[in-house]
Amino acid sequence: MIGNPEAPLKLVEYASHTCGHCADFAAAGKPVIKDKYVASGVVSFELRNLVRDPIDLTIATLVRCGAKENMQPLSDQAWGSLNDIFAQVNANEALIQASGNQPVNQRFITIAQAAGLIDFFAARGLSADQSRACLADTAKIEAIANASNTQSEELKINGTPTFFLNGRKLDGTTLEAIEPALQRAGAR
């Protein structure tokens, strides 16, 4: 969560790290939300994962691996590089698919290496050893996946991004769709 934890307006985004629309929102919508509404102290913005696949779960684990305050900036950087990440995934598809036959504590390390994510996050301050340790932490990975599944079922979320304002699901996936709801609720 970024912004004032006591903000009267709480905007929550459920997003997937392998979602192109989420990448678009991270690039075009989120900076406006942060600069215009979060900075005012009236809105807090929380990012939660809706995990769609093993690559998504790998990235969700890595963005949480370091300091808590780095989670959203690392997520935004991953979305900004989504095309490059997908190119690596496509180039190493057989290795990524074969990772499913590995022990769970090795599976996500293999996915991260094949997708270039170990190097990607190392360039952003997360050491390769730190990444591998997080990706071998099966309890942490399972907790991320379980939270995603539980929340998506309870809240009936079936696509990303999905936004909630003070617990109420908003229509739309773009800034143009959610900004009017923020303003009607009192955000300025």
Side-chain angles (χ1 to χ4, degrees), residues 96-125:
I96 290 171
Q97 294 220 348
S99 70
N101 298 323
Q102 293 182 316
V104 177
N105 68 339
Q106 292 299 308
R107 185 175 303 160
F108 296 97
I109 295 169
T110 300
I111 291 170
Q113 289 171 322
L117 295 170
I118 300 287
D119 292 338
F120 178 86
F121 283 96
R124 286 152 182 85

PDB file of all heavy atoms in Angstrom, residues 96-125:
ATOM      1  N   ILE A  96      10.805 -23.731 -19.330  1.00  0.00           N
ATOM      2  CA  ILE A  96       9.780 -23.287 -18.381  1.00  0.00           C
ATOM      3  C   ILE A  96       8.733 -24.378 -18.193  1.00  0.00           C
ATOM      4  O   ILE A  96       8.330 -24.675 -17.066  1.00  0.00           O
ATOM      5  CB  ILE A  96       9.159 -21.949 -18.838  1.00  0.00           C
ATOM      6  CG1 ILE A  96      10.201 -20.842 -18.685  1.00  0.00           C
ATOM      7  CG2 ILE A  96       7.900 -21.629 -18.045  1.00  0.00           C
ATOM      8  CD1 ILE A  96       9.828 -19.512 -19.284  1.00  0.00           C
ATOM      9  N   GLN A  97       8.325 -25.011 -19.289  1.00  0.00           N
ATOM     10  CA  GLN A  97       7.342 -26.094 -19.163  1.00  0.00           C
ATOM     11  C   GLN A  97       7.921 -27.273 -18.386  1.00  0.00           C
ATOM     12  O   GLN A  97       7.229 -27.878 -17.576  1.00  0.00           O
ATOM     13  CB  GLN A  97       6.873 -26.531 -20.540  1.00  0.00           C
ATOM     14  CG  GLN A  97       6.091 -25.435 -21.226  1.00  0.00           C
ATOM     15  CD  GLN A  97       4.902 -25.943 -21.982  1.00  0.00           C
ATOM     16  OE1 GLN A  97       4.744 -27.117 -22.193  1.00  0.00           O
ATOM     17  NE2 GLN A  97       4.057 -25.019 -22.377  1.00  0.00           N
ATOM     18  N   ALA A  98       9.187 -27.580 -18.607  1.00  0.00           N
ATOM     19  CA  ALA A  98       9.828 -28.699 -17.905  1.00  0.00           C
ATOM     20  C   ALA A  98       9.987 -28.418 -16.414  1.00  0.00           C
ATOM     21  O   ALA A  98      10.103 -29.354 -15.617  1.00  0.00           O
ATOM     22  CB  ALA A  98      11.191 -28.995 -18.528  1.00  0.00           C
ATOM     23  N   SER A  99       9.956 -27.152 -16.031  1.00  0.00           N
ATOM     24  CA  SER A  99      10.106 -26.809 -14.605  1.00  0.00           C
ATOM     25  C   SER A  99       8.995 -27.427 -13.770  1.00  0.00           C
ATOM     26  O   SER A  99       9.173 -27.670 -12.582  1.00  0.00           O
ATOM     27  CB  SER A  99      10.127 -25.287 -14.413  1.00  0.00           C
ATOM     28  OG  SER A  99       8.843 -24.736 -14.659  1.00  0.00           O
ATOM     29  N   GLY A 100       7.856 -27.693 -14.383  1.00  0.00           N
ATOM     30  CA  GLY A 100       6.738 -28.304 -13.671  1.00  0.00           C
ATOM     31  C   GLY A 100       7.046 -29.696 -13.146  1.00  0.00           C
ATOM     32  O   GLY A 100       6.366 -30.181 -12.244  1.00  0.00           O
ATOM     33  N   ASN A 101       8.077 -30.328 -13.674  1.00  0.00           N
ATOM     34  CA  ASN A 101       8.485 -31.661 -13.221  1.00  0.00           C
ATOM     35  C   ASN A 101       9.516 -31.615 -12.106  1.00  0.00           C
ATOM     36  O   ASN A 101       9.914 -32.663 -11.602  1.00  0.00           O
ATOM     37  CB  ASN A 101       9.035 -32.468 -14.401  1.00  0.00           C
ATOM     38  CG  ASN A 101       7.982 -32.683 -15.464  1.00  0.00           C
ATOM     39  OD1 ASN A 101       6.811 -32.872 -15.165  1.00  0.00           O
ATOM     40  ND2 ASN A 101       8.398 -32.644 -16.720  1.00  0.00           N
ATOM     41  N   GLN A 102       9.954 -30.432 -11.751  1.00  0.00           N
ATOM     42  CA  GLN A 102      10.969 -30.281 -10.713  1.00  0.00           C
ATOM     43  C   GLN A 102      10.327 -30.209  -9.334  1.00  0.00           C
ATOM     44  O   GLN A 102       9.142 -29.892  -9.213  1.00  0.00           O
ATOM     45  CB  GLN A 102      11.785 -29.009 -10.947  1.00  0.00           C
ATOM     46  CG  GLN A 102      12.631 -29.060 -12.189  1.00  0.00           C
ATOM     47  CD  GLN A 102      13.439 -27.789 -12.328  1.00  0.00           C
ATOM     48  OE1 GLN A 102      12.930 -26.698 -12.127  1.00  0.00           O
ATOM     49  NE2 GLN A 102      14.703 -27.941 -12.675  1.00  0.00           N
ATOM     50  N   PRO A 103      11.134 -30.453  -8.289  1.00  0.00           N
ATOM     51  CA  PRO A 103      10.622 -30.223  -6.931  1.00  0.00           C
ATOM     52  C   PRO A 103      10.175 -28.764  -6.799  1.00  0.00           C
ATOM     53  O   PRO A 103      10.762 -27.868  -7.419  1.00  0.00           O
ATOM     54  CB  PRO A 103      11.828 -30.507  -6.035  1.00  0.00           C
ATOM     55  CG  PRO A 103      12.767 -31.305  -6.876  1.00  0.00           C
ATOM     56  CD  PRO A 103      12.513 -30.912  -8.300  1.00  0.00           C
ATOM     57  N   VAL A 104       9.158 -28.526  -6.011  1.00  0.00           N
ATOM     58  CA  VAL A 104       8.586 -27.184  -5.898  1.00  0.00           C
ATOM     59  C   VAL A 104       9.637 -26.151  -5.491  1.00  0.00           C
ATOM     60  O   VAL A 104       9.632 -25.036  -5.999  1.00  0.00           O
ATOM     61  CB  VAL A 104       7.394 -27.182  -4.908  1.00  0.00           C
ATOM     62  CG1 VAL A 104       6.839 -25.785  -4.724  1.00  0.00           C
ATOM     63  CG2 VAL A 104       6.299 -28.100  -5.407  1.00  0.00           C
ATOM     64  N   ASN A 105      10.563 -26.520  -4.629  1.00  0.00           N
ATOM     65  CA  ASN A 105      11.557 -25.534  -4.173  1.00  0.00           C
ATOM     66  C   ASN A 105      12.581 -25.182  -5.256  1.00  0.00           C
ATOM     67  O   ASN A 105      13.384 -24.276  -5.066  1.00  0.00           O
ATOM     68  CB  ASN A 105      12.251 -26.001  -2.892  1.00  0.00           C
ATOM     69  CG  ASN A 105      13.144 -27.195  -3.116  1.00  0.00           C
ATOM     70  OD1 ASN A 105      13.007 -27.936  -4.096  1.00  0.00           O
ATOM     71  ND2 ASN A 105      14.054 -27.414  -2.193  1.00  0.00           N
ATOM     72  N   GLN A 106      12.543 -25.842  -6.390  1.00  0.00           N
ATOM     73  CA  GLN A 106      13.425 -25.517  -7.520  1.00  0.00           C
ATOM     74  C   GLN A 106      12.664 -24.957  -8.724  1.00  0.00           C
ATOM     75  O   GLN A 106      13.224 -24.285  -9.574  1.00  0.00           O
ATOM     76  CB  GLN A 106      14.193 -26.768  -7.961  1.00  0.00           C
ATOM     77  CG  GLN A 106      15.203 -27.238  -6.948  1.00  0.00           C
ATOM     78  CD  GLN A 106      16.259 -26.181  -6.681  1.00  0.00           C
ATOM     79  OE1 GLN A 106      16.876 -25.647  -7.602  1.00  0.00           O
ATOM     80  NE2 GLN A 106      16.455 -25.836  -5.411  1.00  0.00           N
ATOM     81  N   ARG A 107      11.379 -25.251  -8.774  1.00  0.00           N
ATOM     82  CA  ARG A 107      10.546 -24.917  -9.935  1.00  0.00           C
ATOM     83  C   ARG A 107      10.587 -23.429 -10.285  1.00  0.00           C
ATOM     84  O   ARG A 107      10.799 -23.055 -11.440  1.00  0.00           O
ATOM     85  CB  ARG A 107       9.111 -25.350  -9.632  1.00  0.00           C
ATOM     86  CG  ARG A 107       8.146 -25.188 -10.757  1.00  0.00           C
ATOM     87  CD  ARG A 107       6.800 -25.764 -10.394  1.00  0.00           C
ATOM     88  NE  ARG A 107       6.971 -27.175 -10.040  1.00  0.00           N
ATOM     89  CZ  ARG A 107       6.108 -27.886  -9.334  1.00  0.00           C
ATOM     90  NH1 ARG A 107       4.999 -27.325  -8.899  1.00  0.00           N
ATOM     91  NH2 ARG A 107       6.331 -29.144  -9.064  1.00  0.00           N
ATOM     92  N   PHE A 108      10.383 -22.579  -9.301  1.00  0.00           N
ATOM     93  CA  PHE A 108      10.274 -21.147  -9.585  1.00  0.00           C
ATOM     94  C   PHE A 108      11.635 -20.510  -9.845  1.00  0.00           C
ATOM     95  O   PHE A 108      11.722 -19.509 -10.557  1.00  0.00           O
ATOM     96  CB  PHE A 108       9.482 -20.444  -8.478  1.00  0.00           C
ATOM     97  CG  PHE A 108       8.063 -20.934  -8.432  1.00  0.00           C
ATOM     98  CD1 PHE A 108       7.671 -21.910  -7.542  1.00  0.00           C
ATOM     99  CD2 PHE A 108       7.130 -20.462  -9.337  1.00  0.00           C
ATOM    100  CE1 PHE A 108       6.369 -22.390  -7.529  1.00  0.00           C
ATOM    101  CE2 PHE A 108       5.826 -20.930  -9.343  1.00  0.00           C
ATOM    102  CZ  PHE A 108       5.446 -21.908  -8.440  1.00  0.00           C
ATOM    103  N   ILE A 109      12.690 -21.099  -9.319  1.00  0.00           N
ATOM    104  CA  ILE A 109      14.048 -20.648  -9.642  1.00  0.00           C
ATOM    105  C   ILE A 109      14.312 -20.898 -11.123  1.00  0.00           C
ATOM    106  O   ILE A 109      14.828 -20.024 -11.837  1.00  0.00           O
ATOM    107  CB  ILE A 109      15.097 -21.364  -8.759  1.00  0.00           C
ATOM    108  CG1 ILE A 109      14.901 -20.965  -7.296  1.00  0.00           C
ATOM    109  CG2 ILE A 109      16.516 -21.052  -9.235  1.00  0.00           C
ATOM    110  CD1 ILE A 109      15.701 -21.804  -6.308  1.00  0.00           C
ATOM    111  N   THR A 110      13.940 -22.079 -11.587  1.00  0.00           N
ATOM    112  CA  THR A 110      14.131 -22.414 -13.005  1.00  0.00           C
ATOM    113  C   THR A 110      13.331 -21.476 -13.898  1.00  0.00           C
ATOM    114  O   THR A 110      13.838 -20.985 -14.919  1.00  0.00           O
ATOM    115  CB  THR A 110      13.725 -23.879 -13.266  1.00  0.00           C
ATOM    116  OG1 THR A 110      14.555 -24.724 -12.464  1.00  0.00           O
ATOM    117  CG2 THR A 110      13.868 -24.251 -14.729  1.00  0.00           C
ATOM    118  N   ILE A 111      12.094 -21.205 -13.530  1.00  0.00           N
ATOM    119  CA  ILE A 111      11.263 -20.285 -14.318  1.00  0.00           C
ATOM    120  C   ILE A 111      11.919 -18.906 -14.360  1.00  0.00           C
ATOM    121  O   ILE A 111      12.028 -18.293 -15.425  1.00  0.00           O
ATOM    122  CB  ILE A 111       9.839 -20.199 -13.736  1.00  0.00           C
ATOM    123  CG1 ILE A 111       9.101 -21.518 -13.950  1.00  0.00           C
ATOM    124  CG2 ILE A 111       9.062 -19.030 -14.354  1.00  0.00           C
ATOM    125  CD1 ILE A 111       7.777 -21.617 -13.197  1.00  0.00           C
ATOM    126  N   ALA A 112      12.374 -18.427 -13.214  1.00  0.00           N
ATOM    127  CA  ALA A 112      12.986 -17.096 -13.149  1.00  0.00           C
ATOM    128  C   ALA A 112      14.249 -17.019 -13.990  1.00  0.00           C
ATOM    129  O   ALA A 112      14.479 -16.022 -14.692  1.00  0.00           O
ATOM    130  CB  ALA A 112      13.276 -16.726 -11.698  1.00  0.00           C
ATOM    131  N   GLN A 113      15.065 -18.056 -13.938  1.00  0.00           N
ATOM    132  CA  GLN A 113      16.288 -18.053 -14.745  1.00  0.00           C
ATOM    133  C   GLN A 113      15.954 -18.084 -16.233  1.00  0.00           C
ATOM    134  O   GLN A 113      16.539 -17.327 -17.013  1.00  0.00           O
ATOM    135  CB  GLN A 113      17.180 -19.239 -14.357  1.00  0.00           C
ATOM    136  CG  GLN A 113      17.806 -19.045 -12.994  1.00  0.00           C
ATOM    137  CD  GLN A 113      18.530 -20.288 -12.473  1.00  0.00           C
ATOM    138  OE1 GLN A 113      18.077 -21.408 -12.665  1.00  0.00           O
ATOM    139  NE2 GLN A 113      19.644 -20.056 -11.808  1.00  0.00           N
ATOM    140  N   ALA A 114      15.025 -18.938 -16.623  1.00  0.00           N
ATOM    141  CA  ALA A 114      14.653 -19.058 -18.039  1.00  0.00           C
ATOM    142  C   ALA A 114      14.014 -17.780 -18.573  1.00  0.00           C
ATOM    143  O   ALA A 114      14.181 -17.433 -19.741  1.00  0.00           O
ATOM    144  CB  ALA A 114      13.718 -20.246 -18.229  1.00  0.00           C
ATOM    145  N   ALA A 115      13.285 -17.081 -17.735  1.00  0.00           N
ATOM    146  CA  ALA A 115      12.609 -15.848 -18.143  1.00  0.00           C
ATOM    147  C   ALA A 115      13.497 -14.615 -18.007  1.00  0.00           C
ATOM    148  O   ALA A 115      13.046 -13.504 -18.300  1.00  0.00           O
ATOM    149  CB  ALA A 115      11.322 -15.670 -17.339  1.00  0.00           C
ATOM    150  N   GLY A 116      14.719 -14.791 -17.533  1.00  0.00           N
ATOM    151  CA  GLY A 116      15.623 -13.650 -17.353  1.00  0.00           C
ATOM    152  C   GLY A 116      15.303 -12.815 -16.132  1.00  0.00           C
ATOM    153  O   GLY A 116      15.812 -11.700 -15.983  1.00  0.00           O
ATOM    154  N   LEU A 117      14.491 -13.336 -15.238  1.00  0.00           N
ATOM    155  CA  LEU A 117      14.032 -12.541 -14.091  1.00  0.00           C
ATOM    156  C   LEU A 117      15.083 -12.410 -12.995  1.00  0.00           C
ATOM    157  O   LEU A 117      15.089 -11.403 -12.281  1.00  0.00           O
ATOM    158  CB  LEU A 117      12.742 -13.137 -13.531  1.00  0.00           C
ATOM    159  CG  LEU A 117      11.554 -13.072 -14.485  1.00  0.00           C
ATOM    160  CD1 LEU A 117      10.383 -13.898 -13.957  1.00  0.00           C
ATOM    161  CD2 LEU A 117      11.142 -11.633 -14.726  1.00  0.00           C
ATOM    162  N   ILE A 118      15.972 -13.385 -12.860  1.00  0.00           N
ATOM    163  CA  ILE A 118      17.038 -13.260 -11.852  1.00  0.00           C
ATOM    164  C   ILE A 118      17.891 -12.043 -12.196  1.00  0.00           C
ATOM    165  O   ILE A 118      18.150 -11.185 -11.344  1.00  0.00           O
ATOM    166  CB  ILE A 118      17.897 -14.540 -11.774  1.00  0.00           C
ATOM    167  CG1 ILE A 118      17.054 -15.764 -11.407  1.00  0.00           C
ATOM    168  CG2 ILE A 118      19.079 -14.341 -10.828  1.00  0.00           C
ATOM    169  CD1 ILE A 118      16.591 -15.851  -9.989  1.00  0.00           C
ATOM    170  N   ASP A 119      18.300 -11.941 -13.459  1.00  0.00           N
ATOM    171  CA  ASP A 119      19.114 -10.796 -13.895  1.00  0.00           C
ATOM    172  C   ASP A 119      18.313  -9.496 -13.871  1.00  0.00           C
ATOM    173  O   ASP A 119      18.836  -8.442 -13.486  1.00  0.00           O
ATOM    174  CB  ASP A 119      19.662 -11.035 -15.300  1.00  0.00           C
ATOM    175  CG  ASP A 119      20.692 -12.158 -15.342  1.00  0.00           C
ATOM    176  OD1 ASP A 119      21.292 -12.465 -14.290  1.00  0.00           O
ATOM    177  OD2 ASP A 119      20.890 -12.726 -16.437  1.00  0.00           O
ATOM    178  N   PHE A 120      17.054  -9.560 -14.276  1.00  0.00           N
ATOM    179  CA  PHE A 120      16.198  -8.368 -14.285  1.00  0.00           C
ATOM    180  C   PHE A 120      16.124  -7.753 -12.889  1.00  0.00           C
ATOM    181  O   PHE A 120      16.322  -6.553 -12.708  1.00  0.00           O
ATOM    182  CB  PHE A 120      14.790  -8.743 -14.778  1.00  0.00           C
ATOM    183  CG  PHE A 120      13.818  -7.602 -14.770  1.00  0.00           C
ATOM    184  CD1 PHE A 120      13.730  -6.738 -15.842  1.00  0.00           C
ATOM    185  CD2 PHE A 120      12.980  -7.385 -13.679  1.00  0.00           C
ATOM    186  CE1 PHE A 120      12.829  -5.681 -15.835  1.00  0.00           C
ATOM    187  CE2 PHE A 120      12.080  -6.334 -13.665  1.00  0.00           C
ATOM    188  CZ  PHE A 120      12.006  -5.474 -14.750  1.00  0.00           C
ATOM    189  N   PHE A 121      15.845  -8.585 -11.882  1.00  0.00           N
ATOM    190  CA  PHE A 121      15.710  -8.058 -10.524  1.00  0.00           C
ATOM    191  C   PHE A 121      17.069  -7.730  -9.904  1.00  0.00           C
ATOM    192  O   PHE A 121      17.159  -6.819  -9.077  1.00  0.00           O
ATOM    193  CB  PHE A 121      14.888  -9.008  -9.653  1.00  0.00           C
ATOM    194  CG  PHE A 121      13.418  -8.899  -9.945  1.00  0.00           C
ATOM    195  CD1 PHE A 121      12.799  -9.779 -10.825  1.00  0.00           C
ATOM    196  CD2 PHE A 121      12.651  -7.898  -9.386  1.00  0.00           C
ATOM    197  CE1 PHE A 121      11.446  -9.662 -11.129  1.00  0.00           C
ATOM    198  CE2 PHE A 121      11.301  -7.772  -9.676  1.00  0.00           C
ATOM    199  CZ  PHE A 121      10.696  -8.651 -10.560  1.00  0.00           C
ATOM    200  N   ALA A 122      18.128  -8.425 -10.318  1.00  0.00           N
ATOM    201  CA  ALA A 122      19.476  -8.091  -9.825  1.00  0.00           C
ATOM    202  C   ALA A 122      19.858  -6.680 -10.269  1.00  0.00           C
ATOM    203  O   ALA A 122      20.473  -5.928  -9.506  1.00  0.00           O
ATOM    204  CB  ALA A 122      20.498  -9.111 -10.326  1.00  0.00           C
ATOM    205  N   ALA A 123      19.464  -6.302 -11.466  1.00  0.00           N
ATOM    206  CA  ALA A 123      19.731  -4.953 -11.961  1.00  0.00           C
ATOM    207  C   ALA A 123      18.940  -3.893 -11.205  1.00  0.00           C
ATOM    208  O   ALA A 123      19.221  -2.702 -11.320  1.00  0.00           O
ATOM    209  CB  ALA A 123      19.411  -4.871 -13.458  1.00  0.00           C
ATOM    210  N   ARG A 124      17.978  -4.340 -10.395  1.00  0.00           N
ATOM    211  CA  ARG A 124      17.143  -3.416  -9.620  1.00  0.00           C
ATOM    212  C   ARG A 124      17.354  -3.581  -8.120  1.00  0.00           C
ATOM    213  O   ARG A 124      16.513  -3.216  -7.322  1.00  0.00           O
ATOM    214  CB  ARG A 124      15.679  -3.633 -10.009  1.00  0.00           C
ATOM    215  CG  ARG A 124      15.421  -3.050 -11.395  1.00  0.00           C
ATOM    216  CD  ARG A 124      14.313  -3.745 -12.145  1.00  0.00           C
ATOM    217  NE  ARG A 124      14.176  -3.155 -13.467  1.00  0.00           N
ATOM    218  CZ  ARG A 124      14.900  -3.518 -14.526  1.00  0.00           C
ATOM    219  NH1 ARG A 124      15.794  -4.483 -14.436  1.00  0.00           N
ATOM    220  NH2 ARG A 124      14.731  -2.926 -15.690  1.00  0.00           N
ATOM    221  N   GLY A 125      18.503  -4.170  -7.753  1.00  0.00           N
ATOM    222  CA  GLY A 125      18.899  -4.203  -6.356  1.00  0.00           C
ATOM    223  C   GLY A 125      18.611  -5.474  -5.591  1.00  0.00           C
ATOM    224  O   GLY A 125      18.921  -5.570  -4.409  1.00  0.00           O
TER     225      GLY A 125
END
